[in-house]
């Protein structure tokens, strides 16, 4: 029997979720726990994992589409070519063969006049008006298709200006024409306030083996935070070429946030909060003890490196602004940090 994949509720008062990307293609074999897709909502992006084994089939929502919570997005079936009977929406379109097959273009004539003319592309499917309905999402949340986000970044356009104008979300490439018109009229975007996001996934088995080795070879138990701080400080120093400069990490503890200076130049068992306060180079947010699987945050004063652990992998997220790190520095930073987590013993020795 086919297993339904539905749009999950990932936040409070959430009505819809934006499919950022599919991580599996239709027909691919999947196992329990495999990441199927990335969903964005309430300023957070997380991966939706398979709850059954089989083949991904009957995909009915593409990347860039905003889907109501609870809607069936796809199925996990016993075979790659299985067609699920009684499936919503798509099956409904296939069932009334007499009306759909003869004249597919005859129906739209009376409909478009009543339908909203400035909704997404010119496709005549019955699902287009439904997708446009969730226009007023949570305030402050920016939902946009991947193409619109890339085009906005490439052209230096600020999508939050569309939200300020009350333009319905999610945004598509055609919505950028309004920002281009503003620019021509002298309204300039403020790119310095835009936060950029990079994420990576690290298998948990290497970190687990490293922690077991540490516990076997150290008199004192090494806290997970010490590993994050030591490796992150070293990766940041390498990415920015800070050979002699101090690297100060601000990190969450049970008593609040504390500063850790040059954690990469201390033994993991000796990393302690610093007694002096200096401006933080970046923030390490340890979320491995929470149920949070992924997130996207503002980075108003310095870059934020977040670590979460859904099931058998670590998810690493870096949020930064253009005046904090260049693209190359940010990529080098997260690449170097994840490389240390993939081969921790080699980097420690």
């Amino acid at each position: 029997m086919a297993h339904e994949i539905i749009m999950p509720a990932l936040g409070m008062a959430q009505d819809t979720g934006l499919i950022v990307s599919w991580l599996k293609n239709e027909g691919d074999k999947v196992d329990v726990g495999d990441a199927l897709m990335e969903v964005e909502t309430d300023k957070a992006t997380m991966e939706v994992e398979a709850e059954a084994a089989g083949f991904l089939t009957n995909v009915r929502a593409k990347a860039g589409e905003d889907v109501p919570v609870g809607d069936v997005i796809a199925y996990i079936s016993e075979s790659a070519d299985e067609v699920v009977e009684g499936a919503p929406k798509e099956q409904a379109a296939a069932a009334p063969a007499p009306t759909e097959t003869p004249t597919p273009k005859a129906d739209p004539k009376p409909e478009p006049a009543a339908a909203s003319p400035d909704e997404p592309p010119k496709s005549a499917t019955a699902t287009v008006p439904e997708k446009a309905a969730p226009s007023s999402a949570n305030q402050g949340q920016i939902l946009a298709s991947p193409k619109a986000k890339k085009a906005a970044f490439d052209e230096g356009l600020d999508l939050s200006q569309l939200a300020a104008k009350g333009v319905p979300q999610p945004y598509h490439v055609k919505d950028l024409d309004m920002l281009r018109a503003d620019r021509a009229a002298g309204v300039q975007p403020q790119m310095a306030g835009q936060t950029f996001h990079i994420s990576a996934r690290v298998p948990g088995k290497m970190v687990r083996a490293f922690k077991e080795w540490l516990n076997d070879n150290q008199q004192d138990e090494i806290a997970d935070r010490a590993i994050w701080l030591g490796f992150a400080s070293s990766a940041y120093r390498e990415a920015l070429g800070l050979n002699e400069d101090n690297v100060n990490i601000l990190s969450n503890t049970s008593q609040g946030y504390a500063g850790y200076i040059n954690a990469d130049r201390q033994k993991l068992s000796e990393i302690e909060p610093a007694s002096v306060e200096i401006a933080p180079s970046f923030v390490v947010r340890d979320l491995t003890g929470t149920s949070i699987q992924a997130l996207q945050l503002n980075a108003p004063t310095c870059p934020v490196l977040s670590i979460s652990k859904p099931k058998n992998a670590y998810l690493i997220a870096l949020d930064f602004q253009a005046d904090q790190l260049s693209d190359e520095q940010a990529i080098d930073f997260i690449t170097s940090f994840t490389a240390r987590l993939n081969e921790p013993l080699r980097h420690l020795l």
Side-chain angles (χ1 to χ4, degrees):
M1 183 175 180
H3 175 82
E4 293 181 343
I5 302 170
I6 65 171
M7 174 58 69
L10 308 177
M12 298 295 292
Q14 176 199 338
D15 296 321
T16 64
L18 178 72
I19 299 178
V20 178
S21 64
W22 280 97
L23 305 178
K24 294 284 187 181
N25 296 317
E26 188 164 4
D28 283 357
K29 184 175 179 13
V30 298
D31 293 320
V32 176
D34 282 357
L36 298 175
M37 60 182 174
E38 289 183 318
V39 174
E40 178 180 295
T41 182
D42 296 338
K43 294 186 179 179
T45 301
M46 68 168 287
E47 293 180 347
V48 175
E49 298 181 344
E51 297 180 353
F55 295 87
L56 181 63
T57 64
N58 298 272
V59 175
R60 57 197 75 250
K62 300 179 181 178
E65 290 189 22
D66 210 35
V67 181
V69 169
D71 269 20
V72 177
I73 307 170
Y75 288 83
I76 296 177
S77 306
E78 294 181 357
S79 64
D81 56 355
E82 180 177 346
V83 176
V84 179
E85 295 185 5
K89 292 189 179 179
E90 190 170 301
Q91 186 68 15
T99 56
E100 297 283 338
T101 306
T103 53
K105 292 187 179 179
D107 294 335
K109 287 190 177 180
E111 295 295 331
S116 177
D118 46 358
E119 295 301 345
K122 304 171 183 174
S123 59
T125 60
T127 57
V128 171
E130 297 176 13
K131 300 284 183 188
S135 58
S136 56
N138 299 338
Q139 291 188 355
Q141 179 182 3
I142 303 297
L143 296 177
S145 69
K147 286 185 178 180
K149 287 183 177 180
K150 184 179 186 304
F153 175 77
D154 291 342
E155 298 179 40
L157 302 172
D158 187 356
L159 291 174
S160 65
Q161 293 181 6
L162 291 176
K165 292 175 181 291
V167 178
Q169 299 184 37
Y171 303 133
H172 300 272
V173 173
K174 68 182 182 66
D175 295 316
L176 301 183
D177 289 340
M178 189 178 299
L179 297 180
R180 296 183 183 109
D182 285 347
R183 170 175 289 178
V187 180
Q188 296 296 325
Q190 298 179 353
M191 288 297 292
Q194 182 174 350
T195 300
F196 302 99
H197 179 80
I198 305 176
S199 60
R201 187 183 184 93
V202 177
K205 60 182 180 181
M206 298 304 295
V207 177
R208 221 168 25 245
F210 177 60
K211 288 163 62 176
E212 292 174 359
W213 180 88
L214 285 175
N215 291 334
D216 290 340
N217 290 274
Q218 299 284 342
Q219 292 183 352
D220 299 323
E221 184 175 350
I222 306 298
D224 288 359
R225 179 179 292 104
I227 299 175
W228 316 143
L229 295 174
F231 285 177
S233 179
S234 179
Y236 184 87
R237 189 186 302 279
E238 179 182 358
L240 274 69
L242 304 176
N243 296 326
E244 302 300 328
D245 295 338
N246 289 326
V247 174
N248 181 33
I249 304 175
L250 196 64
S251 184
N252 58 312
T253 69
S254 56
Q255 286 80 36
Y257 279 83
Y260 297 82
I261 301 176
N262 299 333
D264 58 322
R265 294 179 174 173
Q266 305 173 48
K267 293 182 178 179
L268 294 180
S269 59
E270 298 176 357
I271 295 178
E272 296 289 343
S275 57
V276 296
E277 295 184 2
I278 63 175
S281 306
F282 61 100
V283 173
V284 166
R285 197 175 263 115
D286 184 359
L287 304 172
T288 55
T290 72
S291 59
I292 296 174
Q293 296 194 1
L295 73 170
Q296 186 168 343
L297 304 168
N298 290 326
T301 57
C302 63
V304 178
L305 184 71
S306 303
I307 306 159
S308 57
K309 189 179 182 299
K311 296 192 176 179
N312 297 321
Y314 289 91
L315 294 182
I316 315 300
L318 176 63
D319 298 281
F320 65 100
Q321 295 184 1
D323 58 344
Q324 298 166 357
L325 294 173
S326 68
D327 291 348
E328 292 74 20
Q329 288 173 334
I331 292 172
D332 288 346
F333 180 22
I334 198 167
T335 299
S336 182
F337 179 65
T338 54
R340 284 165 167 76
L341 294 183
N342 273 311
E343 297 184 276
L345 191 56
R346 182 173 74 84
H347 285 278
L348 180 67
L349 299 177

